[in-house]
Amino acid sequence: MDHVRDLGMRLLANERVELPGFDLAGVNDVSADEGEGPDFAKALGGRDPARATLLLAHQPILVGEAAAHGVDLQLSGHTHGGQFWPGHLVVSGIQHTLAGLTRHGGTQLYVTRGAGAWGPPVRVGAPPDITVVRLASR
């Protein structure tokens, strides 16, 4: 986290910024090593519900909370797409989605497999990806 800040990037740690056309919010990770965990009330409280909201949440498991707060789109990672067999069975039992786009009530969730690996540098059945998301109004 410190390195990201040193690079001049702003972390959205349980906070939201209003951008032209939509709100961009971020919540801390469930297993936050630094500070508090995710605080949806802090990140999304007081926003105009008529504005579209994009939420950055490291783990897809938070999509239920995002849907309860009226988030339109949640972008997540963490799963590495399951990374390798049989690890994908364990991860899919914990997370809502291993990779790709799913819908949870009024909230869409997109989970990228990412470009790296966790633990052993092996990927079987879950090729790395770098996702480009293009936002457009209707």
Side-chain angles (χ1 to χ4, degrees), residues 8 29 63 66 81 83 95 103 129:
D29 190 23
V63 72
Q83 192 170 329
Q95 300 291 340
R103 181 172 289 280
D129 73 41

Side-chain angles (χ1 to χ4, degrees), residues 9-136:
M9 292 185 221
R10 178 179 173 185
L11 292 174
L12 293 175
N14 293 327
E15 61 184 310
R16 177 185 79 254
V17 293
E18 292 183 8
L19 299 173
F22 70 99
D23 289 350
L24 178 62
V27 291
N28 292 354
D29 190 23
V30 174
S31 57
D33 294 333
E34 168 183 312
E36 59 191 13
D39 186 334
F40 283 83
K42 190 174 177 183
L44 300 169
R47 71 179 183 87
D48 178 356
R51 288 176 53 86
T53 302
L54 187 154
L55 176 71
L56 305 174
H58 181 65
Q59 296 195 41
I61 199 169
L62 294 175
V63 72
E65 192 79 18
H69 282 86
V71 167
D72 297 289
L73 172 62
Q74 175 179 318
L75 300 178
S76 296
H78 183 71
T79 68
H80 299 270
Q83 192 170 329
F84 56 86
W85 183 93
H88 72 288
L89 297 172
V90 174
V91 176
S92 66
I94 298 167
Q95 300 291 340
H96 295 283
T97 302
L98 288 180
L101 183 65
T102 57
R103 181 172 289 280
H104 301 265
T107 300
Q108 292 185 85
L109 167 66
Y110 183 81
V111 181
T112 178
R113 291 186 306 267
W118 174 85
V122 174
R123 294 182 79 114
V124 177
D129 73 41
I130 296 175
T131 302
V132 175
V133 176
R134 183 181 305 150
L135 301 174

